[in-house]
Amino acid sequence: QVQLVESGGGLVQPGGSLRLSCAASIFTTRPMGWYRQAPGKERELVATITYFDSTNYADSVKGRFTISRDNAKNTVYLQMNSLKPEDTAVYYCNIALTGVDYWGQGTQVTVSS
C-alpha cells in the first residue's frame, strides 16, 4: 500500500511563502504532483514533476510556485511564493501507479490578512 504524507501547510498573509513536503512510502520513478481543492470547487492540478525533473505548472501559479523532488528521500516539495488569497485550498500530493491514483491526506493552506 502506497502512503503519501504531506506537511507544511498553514496560515500565511498575502505575499508570503510556504513550503509543502510530501513523503512517499515507496521508491518510484513515476511523476509526482500537487493538486489543490478550494471550497466548492473541483480539485485542480497545481504542478507535476518527473523523475528527471521535468516540470509542468498550472498557469495560475507559474512564476510563483516551484515543484522539486528528492529521489533519494522519495519526497516531493512545493515552494509557494507571493501567495494570494485565491491560493487558499487543501493541497494534495499525488502519484499514479499502474493506473491507480494515490493521494495524501491533504494539507490546508490559508492565505489571509
Side-chain angles (χ1 to χ4, degrees), residues 3-113:
Q3 291 186 327
L4 301 172
V5 180
E6 299 123 334
S7 61
L11 172 64
V12 64
Q13 293 186 341
S17 298
L18 283 174
R19 188 191 194 210
L20 306 183
S21 300
C22 171
S25 60
I26 60 166
F27 171 78
T28 180
T29 60
R30 295 291 298 162
M32 301 180 74
W34 287 97
Y35 290 71
R36 67 186 182 187
Q37 188 167 18
K41 294 187 177 181
E42 293 187 354
R43 191 170 297 187
E44 64 177 2
L45 172 71
V46 176
T48 60
I49 185 167
T50 69
Y51 183 79
F52 296 106
D53 294 337
S54 178
T55 58
N56 178 58
Y57 295 94
D59 287 343
S60 59
V61 306
K62 282 181 181 177
R64 300 188 298 121
F65 291 11
T66 302
I67 190 170
S68 60
R69 68 190 283 171
D70 184 335
N71 294 323
K73 296 181 178 180
N74 305 326
T75 300
V76 63
Y77 305 96
L78 186 68
Q79 177 66 44
M80 304 185 294
N81 298 329
S82 302
L83 282 160
K84 304 175 181 180
E86 52 262 44
D87 295 317
T88 295
V90 178
Y91 285 70
Y92 296 92
C93 180
N94 169 269
I95 296 177
L97 296 172
T98 59
V100 177
D101 275 310
Y102 294 91
W103 300 93
Q105 81 282 1
T107 185
Q108 176 71 46
V109 171
T110 302
V111 185
S112 175
S113 55

